[in-house]
Amino acid sequence: MSAGAISSRRKKSPARRRDVEPVLFVVDHDPMSLDVLVSGLSRRFGKDFTVRGESSPEVALVALRELAAARRPVALLLVDDAAFSLLARAHRLHPLAKRVLLVDRDYSSTSPAVQAIMLGRADYHLVRPWADDETMYRAMSEFLSSWTKEQEPSFEEFRIVASEGDSKALRLRDVMTRFSMPFGSYPVESEAGRRLLREAGLEATRLPVVIRYDGQVSIDPGLPDLARAIGVNVNNDLDTCEVAIVGAGPAGLTAAVYAASEGLETVLLELAVSGGQAGTSPLIRNYPGFPHGINGGVLMERTCEQAWLMGAHIVFAQQAVALERRGDERVIRLLDGTEVHARAVVIATGIEWRRLGIPRLETLVGAGIFYGAAVSESRAMQDQNVFIVGAGNSAGQAALHLAKHARTVTLLVRGDSVAKSMSSYLVSAIEATPNISIRHRTEVIDANGHQALESITLVDRASDTVENVPATALFIMIGGEPRTQWLPDEIARDEQGYLITGRDVLEQPEVPWEHHREPLTLETSMSGVFAAGDARQGSIKRVASAVGDGATVVRLVHQHLHTDTPERA
Ligand SMILES: Cc1cc2nc3c(=O)[nH]c(=O)nc-3n(C[C@H](O)[C@H](O)[C@H](O)COP(=O)(O)OP(=O)(O)OC[C@H]3O[C@@H](n4cnc5c(N)ncnc54)[C@H](O)[C@@H]3O)c2cc1C
């Protein structure tokens, strides 16, 4: 141990395997401050973690190398900004460790924390001096608990046995993850997988197999079977309600929270599992209140639980396939042939985003890979090399915006030109901006990086060459389509299929508004049917704005119920 090295002084009970305990590693250039930190953290977390500290980044790196060689897990690296460059190297040695940057109080945009967090080079930051030790301990507990959650579960509620690379197993794992179910995956090629099948009395002829902790077996289950095994509702037990909401993304879930909490009998219908697009996002960085970002699945799961506790009837794996007006009622038909009769309907079915469909790239969403979001991330791109996939106006605007901060911006375009897909004023502005370049006939085929993007693999279709290029960020702007095809013609949509609402409805000659009052702000051309979130024309396409729509629409539903059905006033 070096002169600047400090380690936990707490006495351990003899039974504890100290050599396997996860390590909480602190690097602080100031030996006095290091001493205070290590002893404080040892007192608080020493029961479960060994706390070690170094004042020299070089010596710290040697120690971290030794820990990696000994396969000793490092749960957390707490590094002051003087040793910031150590984080990347330490992270390569201990990719699962949470990286916390310790910075001095400086809320200017030049603080090292701003870029480190935005680019996924640190997971969290701590600002010192802190008001009291409890504030720091609370933050550290949260960081450590997020590390603990990512470790293999000690209890597996479900075991999935499947052939390696089976895409059906991928879908099962996705559903389990979206419902936060602790599960284990066992390839049928492994001894453990074969043993599980033997114990369940099964052959490996039909896979995948899902075995619940109590022995219940599902063979090649569909979404409804799996949802039932997990314990969620897939059948609608309420065929008449005051408000029916279609889609359980952020807009629909928020509408359900508000509607149910305000006493409306509420049914929420979802074709898959809750969370929508937001639920698939590993890290939502711009949702207010979460400075280090929040896992979209976690945020949506909490909102879903809230809607349920407020009294909403939530039905998963139920697709709405038709909607019609019957007198005062709006009737939704479901794929299983049943109907839901409601006084008001909220359509929150979102967009089917086009994805690049590259598995490694999807795991880096929020950590250098962004679907849309260029404006909000642009400051963090200071002096970086960034790429944009897309050839439309949004890609062009993003390029110009990012070029103000980034060193280079490269537009990756599949075709020979952007002239057909991008407005000419944008094309001219791009040509006049020296740090923007366009690579035509080029596609992204892979992305690399431990927890944060480091490089992308490009294929040049003109020369048929493949190249790996360093990249800090990749913005994907290839559009999507609103999921509104199932709605009747009476509900006006624009050319792209987005739902037209409010006073804009009055400008749709082919769908005349036949009501004594004007349409309410989020009301569609069918009175009593509202739109919320991404599926609405003019929506902002962000989680927070979808949540805002979800809350707003319930006020409008009340207005409709009170003015259009006087007996309820
Ligand atoms: C990869 C990715 C990353 C993103 N990251 C961010 C981010 O970091 N920050 C941010 O603010 N925004 C982000 N967004 C955008 C954000 O996720 C969306 O703006 C938001 O989810 C829109 O919410 P919504 O409720 O309107 O629709 P959605 O989230 O799309 O939810 C719609 C729901 O309706 C269901 N549905 C559709 N049709 C039917 C039907 N017929 N019957 C029953 N159910 C139906 C769908 O299954 C889905 O669950 C991201 C989007 C993507 C694709």
Side-chain angles (χ1 to χ4, degrees), residues 247 249-251 270-271 276-278 286 320 348-350 355 371 533-534 541-543:
E270 165 57 50
L271 74 83
Q277 289 297 345
N286 56 354
T349 47
R355 310 283 286 233
Y371 278 88
D534 279 7
K541 322 264 178 316
R542 285 281 158 263
V543 177

mmCIF file with all atom_site columns, all heavy atoms in Angstrom, residues 247 249-251 270-271 276-278 286 320 348-350 355 371 533-534 541-543, ligand 1:
data_model
loop_
_atom_site.group_PDB
_atom_site.id
_atom_site.type_symbol
_atom_site.label_atom_id
_atom_site.label_alt_id
_atom_site.label_comp_id
_atom_site.label_asym_id
_atom_site.label_entity_id
_atom_site.label_seq_id
_atom_site.pdbx_PDB_ins_code
_atom_site.Cartn_x
_atom_site.Cartn_y
_atom_site.Cartn_z
_atom_site.occupancy
_atom_site.B_iso_or_equiv
_atom_site.pdbx_formal_charge
_atom_site.auth_seq_id
_atom_site.auth_comp_id
_atom_site.auth_asym_id
_atom_site.auth_atom_id
_atom_site.pdbx_PDB_model_num
ATOM   1   N N   . GLY A 1 247 ? -53.252 3.057  -24.696 1.00 0.00 ? 247 GLY A N   1
ATOM   2   C CA  . GLY A 1 247 ? -51.791 3.262  -24.723 1.00 0.00 ? 247 GLY A CA  1
ATOM   3   C C   . GLY A 1 247 ? -51.266 3.570  -23.330 1.00 0.00 ? 247 GLY A C   1
ATOM   4   O O   . GLY A 1 247 ? -51.722 4.512  -22.688 1.00 0.00 ? 247 GLY A O   1
ATOM   5   N N   . GLY A 1 249 ? -48.054 4.412  -22.397 1.00 0.00 ? 249 GLY A N   1
ATOM   6   C CA  . GLY A 1 249 ? -46.771 5.121  -22.348 1.00 0.00 ? 249 GLY A CA  1
ATOM   7   C C   . GLY A 1 249 ? -46.911 6.249  -21.332 1.00 0.00 ? 249 GLY A C   1
ATOM   8   O O   . GLY A 1 249 ? -47.880 6.285  -20.562 1.00 0.00 ? 249 GLY A O   1
ATOM   9   N N   . PRO A 1 250 ? -45.958 7.186  -21.314 1.00 0.00 ? 250 PRO A N   1
ATOM   10  C CA  . PRO A 1 250 ? -46.038 8.276  -20.331 1.00 0.00 ? 250 PRO A CA  1
ATOM   11  C C   . PRO A 1 250 ? -47.338 9.085  -20.409 1.00 0.00 ? 250 PRO A C   1
ATOM   12  O O   . PRO A 1 250 ? -47.886 9.475  -19.364 1.00 0.00 ? 250 PRO A O   1
ATOM   13  C CB  . PRO A 1 250 ? -44.832 9.155  -20.638 1.00 0.00 ? 250 PRO A CB  1
ATOM   14  C CG  . PRO A 1 250 ? -44.140 8.564  -21.804 1.00 0.00 ? 250 PRO A CG  1
ATOM   15  C CD  . PRO A 1 250 ? -44.711 7.229  -22.093 1.00 0.00 ? 250 PRO A CD  1
ATOM   16  N N   . ALA A 1 251 ? -47.864 9.323  -21.627 1.00 0.00 ? 251 ALA A N   1
ATOM   17  C CA  . ALA A 1 251 ? -49.095 10.119 -21.741 1.00 0.00 ? 251 ALA A CA  1
ATOM   18  C C   . ALA A 1 251 ? -50.283 9.346  -21.158 1.00 0.00 ? 251 ALA A C   1
ATOM   19  O O   . ALA A 1 251 ? -51.037 9.870  -20.326 1.00 0.00 ? 251 ALA A O   1
ATOM   20  C CB  . ALA A 1 251 ? -49.357 10.476 -23.201 1.00 0.00 ? 251 ALA A CB  1
ATOM   21  N N   . GLU A 1 270 ? -53.574 -1.494 -23.057 1.00 0.00 ? 270 GLU A N   1
ATOM   22  C CA  . GLU A 1 270 ? -52.219 -1.457 -23.633 1.00 0.00 ? 270 GLU A CA  1
ATOM   23  C C   . GLU A 1 270 ? -51.977 -2.730 -24.432 1.00 0.00 ? 270 GLU A C   1
ATOM   24  O O   . GLU A 1 270 ? -52.203 -3.828 -23.937 1.00 0.00 ? 270 GLU A O   1
ATOM   25  C CB  . GLU A 1 270 ? -51.192 -1.321 -22.495 1.00 0.00 ? 270 GLU A CB  1
ATOM   26  C CG  . GLU A 1 270 ? -49.758 -1.615 -22.871 1.00 0.00 ? 270 GLU A CG  1
ATOM   27  C CD  . GLU A 1 270 ? -49.212 -0.764 -24.031 1.00 0.00 ? 270 GLU A CD  1
ATOM   28  O OE1 . GLU A 1 270 ? -49.365 0.464  -23.986 1.00 0.00 ? 270 GLU A OE1 1
ATOM   29  O OE2 . GLU A 1 270 ? -48.656 -1.358 -24.970 1.00 0.00 ? 270 GLU A OE2 1
ATOM   30  N N   . LEU A 1 271 ? -51.461 -2.554 -25.650 1.00 0.00 ? 271 LEU A N   1
ATOM   31  C CA  . LEU A 1 271 ? -51.308 -3.748 -26.500 1.00 0.00 ? 271 LEU A CA  1
ATOM   32  C C   . LEU A 1 271 ? -50.147 -4.634 -26.069 1.00 0.00 ? 271 LEU A C   1
ATOM   33  O O   . LEU A 1 271 ? -50.124 -5.825 -26.330 1.00 0.00 ? 271 LEU A O   1
ATOM   34  C CB  . LEU A 1 271 ? -51.183 -3.358 -27.982 1.00 0.00 ? 271 LEU A CB  1
ATOM   35  C CG  . LEU A 1 271 ? -49.924 -2.749 -28.569 1.00 0.00 ? 271 LEU A CG  1
ATOM   36  C CD1 . LEU A 1 271 ? -48.920 -3.817 -28.924 1.00 0.00 ? 271 LEU A CD1 1
ATOM   37  C CD2 . LEU A 1 271 ? -50.286 -1.969 -29.810 1.00 0.00 ? 271 LEU A CD2 1
ATOM   38  N N   . GLY A 1 276 ? -44.461 2.188  -22.881 1.00 0.00 ? 276 GLY A N   1
ATOM   39  C CA  . GLY A 1 276 ? -44.315 2.774  -24.217 1.00 0.00 ? 276 GLY A CA  1
ATOM   40  C C   . GLY A 1 276 ? -42.850 2.919  -24.605 1.00 0.00 ? 276 GLY A C   1
ATOM   41  O O   . GLY A 1 276 ? -41.983 2.175  -24.142 1.00 0.00 ? 276 GLY A O   1
ATOM   42  N N   . GLN A 1 277 ? -42.584 3.900  -25.460 1.00 0.00 ? 277 GLN A N   1
ATOM   43  C CA  . GLN A 1 277 ? -41.195 4.133  -25.909 1.00 0.00 ? 277 GLN A CA  1
ATOM   44  C C   . GLN A 1 277 ? -40.314 4.488  -24.731 1.00 0.00 ? 277 GLN A C   1
ATOM   45  O O   . GLN A 1 277 ? -39.160 4.094  -24.656 1.00 0.00 ? 277 GLN A O   1
ATOM   46  C CB  . GLN A 1 277 ? -41.150 5.295  -26.918 1.00 0.00 ? 277 GLN A CB  1
ATOM   47  C CG  . GLN A 1 277 ? -41.753 4.973  -28.241 1.00 0.00 ? 277 GLN A CG  1
ATOM   48  C CD  . GLN A 1 277 ? -41.016 3.857  -28.955 1.00 0.00 ? 277 GLN A CD  1
ATOM   49  O OE1 . GLN A 1 277 ? -39.889 3.509  -28.596 1.00 0.00 ? 277 GLN A OE1 1
ATOM   50  N NE2 . GLN A 1 277 ? -41.652 3.278  -29.943 1.00 0.00 ? 277 GLN A NE2 1
ATOM   51  N N   . ALA A 1 278 ? -40.864 5.264  -23.808 1.00 0.00 ? 278 ALA A N   1
ATOM   52  C CA  . ALA A 1 278 ? -40.060 5.711  -22.667 1.00 0.00 ? 278 ALA A CA  1
ATOM   53  C C   . ALA A 1 278 ? -39.570 4.501  -21.879 1.00 0.00 ? 278 ALA A C   1
ATOM   54  O O   . ALA A 1 278 ? -38.442 4.492  -21.376 1.00 0.00 ? 278 ALA A O   1
ATOM   55  C CB  . ALA A 1 278 ? -40.885 6.627  -21.790 1.00 0.00 ? 278 ALA A CB  1
ATOM   56  N N   . ASN A 1 286 ? -33.351 13.864 -19.580 1.00 0.00 ? 286 ASN A N   1
ATOM   57  C CA  . ASN A 1 286 ? -33.910 15.213 -19.482 1.00 0.00 ? 286 ASN A CA  1
ATOM   58  C C   . ASN A 1 286 ? -35.232 15.263 -18.730 1.00 0.00 ? 286 ASN A C   1
ATOM   59  O O   . ASN A 1 286 ? -35.969 16.229 -18.851 1.00 0.00 ? 286 ASN A O   1
ATOM   60  C CB  . ASN A 1 286 ? -34.088 15.791 -20.894 1.00 0.00 ? 286 ASN A CB  1
ATOM   61  C CG  . ASN A 1 286 ? -34.947 14.896 -21.770 1.00 0.00 ? 286 ASN A CG  1
ATOM   62  O OD1 . ASN A 1 286 ? -35.323 13.796 -21.354 1.00 0.00 ? 286 ASN A OD1 1
ATOM   63  N ND2 . ASN A 1 286 ? -35.260 15.329 -22.956 1.00 0.00 ? 286 ASN A ND2 1
ATOM   64  N N   . ALA A 1 320 ? -56.342 -2.201 -28.949 1.00 0.00 ? 320 ALA A N   1
ATOM   65  C CA  . ALA A 1 320 ? -57.569 -1.574 -29.440 1.00 0.00 ? 320 ALA A CA  1
ATOM   66  C C   . ALA A 1 320 ? -57.525 -1.640 -30.966 1.00 0.00 ? 320 ALA A C   1
ATOM   67  O O   . ALA A 1 320 ? -56.512 -1.263 -31.565 1.00 0.00 ? 320 ALA A O   1
ATOM   68  C CB  . ALA A 1 320 ? -57.631 -0.129 -28.974 1.00 0.00 ? 320 ALA A CB  1
ATOM   69  N N   . ALA A 1 348 ? -53.592 7.628  -26.687 1.00 0.00 ? 348 ALA A N   1
ATOM   70  C CA  . ALA A 1 348 ? -52.200 7.940  -26.319 1.00 0.00 ? 348 ALA A CA  1
ATOM   71  C C   . ALA A 1 348 ? -51.308 6.833  -26.863 1.00 0.00 ? 348 ALA A C   1
ATOM   72  O O   . ALA A 1 348 ? -50.537 6.219  -26.137 1.00 0.00 ? 348 ALA A O   1
ATOM   73  C CB  . ALA A 1 348 ? -52.087 8.062  -24.805 1.00 0.00 ? 348 ALA A CB  1
ATOM   74  N N   . THR A 1 349 ? -51.471 6.586  -28.177 1.00 0.00 ? 349 THR A N   1
ATOM   75  C CA  . THR A 1 349 ? -50.830 5.403  -28.767 1.00 0.00 ? 349 THR A CA  1
ATOM   76  C C   . THR A 1 349 ? -49.431 5.679  -29.320 1.00 0.00 ? 349 THR A C   1
ATOM   77  O O   . THR A 1 349 ? -48.776 4.758  -29.828 1.00 0.00 ? 349 THR A O   1
ATOM   78  C CB  . THR A 1 349 ? -51.724 4.815  -29.876 1.00 0.00 ? 349 THR A CB  1
ATOM   79  O OG1 . THR A 1 349 ? -52.163 5.895  -30.704 1.00 0.00 ? 349 THR A OG1 1
ATOM   80  C CG2 . THR A 1 349 ? -52.920 4.106  -29.310 1.00 0.00 ? 349 THR A CG2 1
ATOM   81  N N   . GLY A 1 350 ? -48.968 6.921  -29.240 1.00 0.00 ? 350 GLY A N   1
ATOM   82  C CA  . GLY A 1 350 ? -47.575 7.226  -29.558 1.00 0.00 ? 350 GLY A CA  1
ATOM   83  C C   . GLY A 1 350 ? -47.185 6.985  -31.007 1.00 0.00 ? 350 GLY A C   1
ATOM   84  O O   . GLY A 1 350 ? -48.023 6.959  -31.917 1.00 0.00 ? 350 GLY A O   1
ATOM   85  N N   . ARG A 1 355 ? -36.134 2.322  -35.711 1.00 0.00 ? 355 ARG A N   1
ATOM   86  C CA  . ARG A 1 355 ? -34.901 2.102  -34.959 1.00 0.00 ? 355 ARG A CA  1
ATOM   87  C C   . ARG A 1 355 ? -33.846 1.581  -35.921 1.00 0.00 ? 355 ARG A C   1
ATOM   88  O O   . ARG A 1 355 ? -34.187 1.014  -36.960 1.00 0.00 ? 355 ARG A O   1
ATOM   89  C CB  . ARG A 1 355 ? -35.124 1.045  -33.853 1.00 0.00 ? 355 ARG A CB  1
ATOM   90  C CG  . ARG A 1 355 ? -36.327 1.268  -32.960 1.00 0.00 ? 355 ARG A CG  1
ATOM   91  C CD  . ARG A 1 355 ? -36.082 2.321  -31.945 1.00 0.00 ? 355 ARG A CD  1
ATOM   92  N NE  . ARG A 1 355 ? -35.224 1.879  -30.892 1.00 0.00 ? 355 ARG A NE  1
ATOM   93  C CZ  . ARG A 1 355 ? -35.528 1.960  -29.590 1.00 0.00 ? 355 ARG A CZ  1
ATOM   94  N NH1 . ARG A 1 355 ? -36.679 2.444  -29.211 1.00 0.00 ? 355 ARG A NH1 1
ATOM   95  N NH2 . ARG A 1 355 ? -34.670 1.574  -28.677 1.00 0.00 ? 355 ARG A NH2 1
ATOM   96  N N   . TYR A 1 371 ? -31.823 9.078  -29.618 1.00 0.00 ? 371 TYR A N   1
ATOM   97  C CA  . TYR A 1 371 ? -32.867 9.170  -30.643 1.00 0.00 ? 371 TYR A CA  1
ATOM   98  C C   . TYR A 1 371 ? -33.422 10.585 -30.527 1.00 0.00 ? 371 TYR A C   1
ATOM   99  O O   . TYR A 1 371 ? -33.990 10.950 -29.497 1.00 0.00 ? 371 TYR A O   1
ATOM   100 C CB  . TYR A 1 371 ? -33.965 8.127  -30.404 1.00 0.00 ? 371 TYR A CB  1
ATOM   101 C CG  . TYR A 1 371 ? -33.590 6.773  -30.950 1.00 0.00 ? 371 TYR A CG  1
ATOM   102 C CD1 . TYR A 1 371 ? -32.880 5.863  -30.174 1.00 0.00 ? 371 TYR A CD1 1
ATOM   103 C CD2 . TYR A 1 371 ? -33.924 6.407  -32.247 1.00 0.00 ? 371 TYR A CD2 1
ATOM   104 C CE1 . TYR A 1 371 ? -32.517 4.626  -30.681 1.00 0.00 ? 371 TYR A CE1 1
ATOM   105 C CE2 . TYR A 1 371 ? -33.566 5.159  -32.757 1.00 0.00 ? 371 TYR A CE2 1
ATOM   106 C CZ  . TYR A 1 371 ? -32.867 4.284  -31.968 1.00 0.00 ? 371 TYR A CZ  1
ATOM   107 O OH  . TYR A 1 371 ? -32.512 3.065  -32.482 1.00 0.00 ? 371 TYR A OH  1
ATOM   108 N N   . GLY A 1 533 ? -49.937 13.105 -26.055 1.00 0.00 ? 533 GLY A N   1
ATOM   109 C CA  . GLY A 1 533 ? -48.596 12.562 -26.301 1.00 0.00 ? 533 GLY A CA  1
ATOM   110 C C   . GLY A 1 533 ? -48.187 12.613 -27.763 1.00 0.00 ? 533 GLY A C   1
ATOM   111 O O   . GLY A 1 533 ? -48.722 13.384 -28.565 1.00 0.00 ? 533 GLY A O   1
ATOM   112 N N   . ASP A 1 534 ? -47.242 11.732 -28.109 1.00 0.00 ? 534 ASP A N   1
ATOM   113 C CA  . ASP A 1 534 ? -46.587 11.779 -29.415 1.00 0.00 ? 534 ASP A CA  1
ATOM   114 C C   . ASP A 1 534 ? -47.544 11.633 -30.600 1.00 0.00 ? 534 ASP A C   1
ATOM   115 O O   . ASP A 1 534 ? -47.229 12.102 -31.698 1.00 0.00 ? 534 ASP A O   1
ATOM   116 C CB  . ASP A 1 534 ? -45.564 10.633 -29.514 1.00 0.00 ? 534 ASP A CB  1
ATOM   117 C CG  . ASP A 1 534 ? -44.262 10.965 -28.822 1.00 0.00 ? 534 ASP A CG  1
ATOM   118 O OD1 . ASP A 1 534 ? -44.198 12.023 -28.162 1.00 0.00 ? 534 ASP A OD1 1
ATOM   119 O OD2 . ASP A 1 534 ? -43.311 10.168 -28.938 1.00 0.00 ? 534 ASP A OD2 1
ATOM   120 N N   . LYS A 1 541 ? -42.726 15.369 -28.551 1.00 0.00 ? 541 LYS A N   1
ATOM   121 C CA  . LYS A 1 541 ? -41.991 14.086 -28.643 1.00 0.00 ? 541 LYS A CA  1
ATOM   122 C C   . LYS A 1 541 ? -40.934 13.952 -27.554 1.00 0.00 ? 541 LYS A C   1
ATOM   123 O O   . LYS A 1 541 ? -39.763 13.651 -27.815 1.00 0.00 ? 541 LYS A O   1
ATOM   124 C CB  . LYS A 1 541 ? -41.340 13.880 -30.020 1.00 0.00 ? 541 LYS A CB  1
ATOM   125 C CG  . LYS A 1 541 ? -42.163 14.355 -31.189 1.00 0.00 ? 541 LYS A CG  1
ATOM   126 C CD  . LYS A 1 541 ? -42.956 13.258 -31.818 1.00 0.00 ? 541 LYS A CD  1
ATOM   127 C CE  . LYS A 1 541 ? -43.834 13.704 -32.957 1.00 0.00 ? 541 LYS A CE  1
ATOM   128 N NZ  . LYS A 1 541 ? -44.615 14.908 -32.824 1.00 0.00 ? 541 LYS A NZ  1
ATOM   129 N N   . ARG A 1 542 ? -41.369 14.213 -26.364 1.00 0.00 ? 542 ARG A N   1
ATOM   130 C CA  . ARG A 1 542 ? -40.519 14.072 -25.180 1.00 0.00 ? 542 ARG A CA  1
ATOM   131 C C   . ARG A 1 542 ? -41.354 13.452 -24.074 1.00 0.00 ? 542 ARG A C   1
ATOM   132 O O   . ARG A 1 542 ? -42.582 13.619 -24.051 1.00 0.00 ? 542 ARG A O   1
ATOM   133 C CB  . ARG A 1 542 ? -39.995 15.449 -24.732 1.00 0.00 ? 542 ARG A CB  1
ATOM   134 C CG  . ARG A 1 542 ? -38.900 15.975 -25.635 1.00 0.00 ? 542 ARG A CG  1
ATOM   135 C CD  . ARG A 1 542 ? -37.601 15.283 -25.278 1.00 0.00 ? 542 ARG A CD  1
ATOM   136 N NE  . ARG A 1 542 ? -36.596 15.282 -26.299 1.00 0.00 ? 542 ARG A NE  1
ATOM   137 C CZ  . ARG A 1 542 ? -36.358 14.286 -27.157 1.00 0.00 ? 542 ARG A CZ  1
ATOM   138 N NH1 . ARG A 1 542 ? -37.099 13.220 -27.180 1.00 0.00 ? 542 ARG A NH1 1
ATOM   139 N NH2 . ARG A 1 542 ? -35.363 14.339 -27.991 1.00 0.00 ? 542 ARG A NH2 1
ATOM   140 N N   . VAL A 1 543 ? -40.698 12.809 -23.124 1.00 0.00 ? 543 VAL A N   1
ATOM   141 C CA  . VAL A 1 543 ? -41.434 12.154 -22.043 1.00 0.00 ? 543 VAL A CA  1
ATOM   142 C C   . VAL A 1 543 ? -42.205 13.206 -21.228 1.00 0.00 ? 543 VAL A C   1
ATOM   143 O O   . VAL A 1 543 ? -43.399 13.051 -20.946 1.00 0.00 ? 543 VAL A O   1
ATOM   144 C CB  . VAL A 1 543 ? -40.477 11.347 -21.133 1.00 0.00 ? 543 VAL A CB  1
ATOM   145 C CG1 . VAL A 1 543 ? -41.240 10.723 -19.983 1.00 0.00 ? 543 VAL A CG1 1
ATOM   146 C CG2 . VAL A 1 543 ? -39.752 10.279 -21.939 1.00 0.00 ? 543 VAL A CG2 1
HETATM 147 C C1  . LIG B 2 .   ? -35.021 5.093  -28.162 1.00 0.00 ? 1   LIG B C1  1
HETATM 148 C C2  . LIG B 2 .   ? -35.762 6.295  -27.667 1.00 0.00 ? 1   LIG B C2  1
HETATM 149 C C3  . LIG B 2 .   ? -35.184 7.074  -26.680 1.00 0.00 ? 1   LIG B C3  1
HETATM 150 C C4  . LIG B 2 .   ? -35.861 8.201  -26.197 1.00 0.00 ? 1   LIG B C4  1
HETATM 151 N N1  . LIG B 2 .   ? -35.275 8.945  -25.242 1.00 0.00 ? 1   LIG B N1  1
HETATM 152 C C5  . LIG B 2 .   ? -35.921 10.016 -24.749 1.00 0.00 ? 1   LIG B C5  1
HETATM 153 C C6  . LIG B 2 .   ? -35.328 10.807 -23.738 1.00 0.00 ? 1   LIG B C6  1
HETATM 154 O O1  . LIG B 2 .   ? -34.206 10.531 -23.303 1.00 0.00 ? 1   LIG B O1  1
HETATM 155 N N2  . LIG B 2 .   ? -36.020 11.848 -23.260 1.00 0.00 ? 1   LIG B N2  1
HETATM 156 C C7  . LIG B 2 .   ? -37.262 12.186 -23.709 1.00 0.00 ? 1   LIG B C7  1
HETATM 157 O O2  . LIG B 2 .   ? -37.845 13.140 -23.194 1.00 0.00 ? 1   LIG B O2  1
HETATM 158 N N3  . LIG B 2 .   ? -37.841 11.465 -24.684 1.00 0.00 ? 1   LIG B N3  1
HETATM 159 C C8  . LIG B 2 .   ? -37.206 10.399 -25.217 1.00 0.00 ? 1   LIG B C8  1
HETATM 160 N N4  . LIG B 2 .   ? -37.785 9.671  -26.219 1.00 0.00 ? 1   LIG B N4  1
HETATM 161 C C9  . LIG B 2 .   ? -39.135 10.067 -26.681 1.00 0.00 ? 1   LIG B C9  1
HETATM 162 C C10 . LIG B 2 .   ? -40.208 9.549  -25.691 1.00 0.00 ? 1   LIG B C10 1
HETATM 163 O O3  . LIG B 2 .   ? -39.963 8.191  -25.372 1.00 0.00 ? 1   LIG B O3  1
HETATM 164 C C11 . LIG B 2 .   ? -41.597 9.738  -26.256 1.00 0.00 ? 1   LIG B C11 1
HETATM 165 O O4  . LIG B 2 .   ? -41.777 11.091 -26.592 1.00 0.00 ? 1   LIG B O4  1
HETATM 166 C C12 . LIG B 2 .   ? -42.681 9.310  -25.256 1.00 0.00 ? 1   LIG B C12 1
HETATM 167 O O5  . LIG B 2 .   ? -42.524 7.970  -24.863 1.00 0.00 ? 1   LIG B O5  1
HETATM 168 C C13 . LIG B 2 .   ? -44.074 9.505  -25.869 1.00 0.00 ? 1   LIG B C13 1
HETATM 169 O O6  . LIG B 2 .   ? -45.015 9.029  -24.965 1.00 0.00 ? 1   LIG B O6  1
HETATM 170 P P1  . LIG B 2 .   ? -46.476 8.561  -25.436 1.00 0.00 ? 1   LIG B P1  1
HETATM 171 O O7  . LIG B 2 .   ? -47.161 8.122  -24.204 1.00 0.00 ? 1   LIG B O7  1
HETATM 172 O O8  . LIG B 2 .   ? -47.096 9.612  -26.269 1.00 0.00 ? 1   LIG B O8  1
HETATM 173 O O9  . LIG B 2 .   ? -46.243 7.350  -26.433 1.00 0.00 ? 1   LIG B O9  1
HETATM 174 P P2  . LIG B 2 .   ? -45.451 5.967  -26.273 1.00 0.00 ? 1   LIG B P2  1
HETATM 175 O O10 . LIG B 2 .   ? -44.414 6.064  -25.251 1.00 0.00 ? 1   LIG B O10 1
HETATM 176 O O11 . LIG B 2 .   ? -45.044 5.602  -27.642 1.00 0.00 ? 1   LIG B O11 1
HETATM 177 O O12 . LIG B 2 .   ? -46.557 4.940  -25.740 1.00 0.00 ? 1   LIG B O12 1
HETATM 178 C C14 . LIG B 2 .   ? -47.619 4.547  -26.567 1.00 0.00 ? 1   LIG B C14 1
HETATM 179 C C15 . LIG B 2 .   ? -48.161 3.226  -26.030 1.00 0.00 ? 1   LIG B C15 1
HETATM 180 O O13 . LIG B 2 .   ? -49.374 2.923  -26.735 1.00 0.00 ? 1   LIG B O13 1
HETATM 181 C C16 . LIG B 2 .   ? -49.415 1.514  -27.007 1.00 0.00 ? 1   LIG B C16 1
HETATM 182 N N5  . LIG B 2 .   ? -50.310 1.294  -28.155 1.00 0.00 ? 1   LIG B N5  1
HETATM 183 C C17 . LIG B 2 .   ? -50.108 1.680  -29.439 1.00 0.00 ? 1   LIG B C17 1
HETATM 184 N N6  . LIG B 2 .   ? -51.161 1.322  -30.199 1.00 0.00 ? 1   LIG B N6  1
HETATM 185 C C18 . LIG B 2 .   ? -52.050 0.693  -29.384 1.00 0.00 ? 1   LIG B C18 1
HETATM 186 C C19 . LIG B 2 .   ? -53.335 0.090  -29.583 1.00 0.00 ? 1   LIG B C19 1
HETATM 187 N N7  . LIG B 2 .   ? -53.927 0.077  -30.776 1.00 0.00 ? 1   LIG B N7  1
HETATM 188 N N8  . LIG B 2 .   ? -53.950 -0.481 -28.521 1.00 0.00 ? 1   LIG B N8  1
HETATM 189 C C20 . LIG B 2 .   ? -53.374 -0.473 -27.261 1.00 0.00 ? 1   LIG B C20 1
HETATM 190 N N9  . LIG B 2 .   ? -52.154 0.093  -27.032 1.00 0.00 ? 1   LIG B N9  1
HETATM 191 C C21 . LIG B 2 .   ? -51.507 0.677  -28.072 1.00 0.00 ? 1   LIG B C21 1
HETATM 192 C C22 . LIG B 2 .   ? -47.957 1.169  -27.302 1.00 0.00 ? 1   LIG B C22 1
HETATM 193 O O14 . LIG B 2 .   ? -47.708 -0.220 -27.124 1.00 0.00 ? 1   LIG B O14 1
HETATM 194 C C23 . LIG B 2 .   ? -47.227 2.038  -26.274 1.00 0.00 ? 1   LIG B C23 1
HETATM 195 O O15 . LIG B 2 .   ? -47.028 1.352  -25.062 1.00 0.00 ? 1   LIG B O15 1
HETATM 196 C C24 . LIG B 2 .   ? -37.149 8.545  -26.726 1.00 0.00 ? 1   LIG B C24 1
HETATM 197 C C25 . LIG B 2 .   ? -37.724 7.748  -27.726 1.00 0.00 ? 1   LIG B C25 1
HETATM 198 C C26 . LIG B 2 .   ? -37.043 6.645  -28.210 1.00 0.00 ? 1   LIG B C26 1
HETATM 199 C C27 . LIG B 2 .   ? -37.664 5.828  -29.298 1.00 0.00 ? 1   LIG B C27 1
#
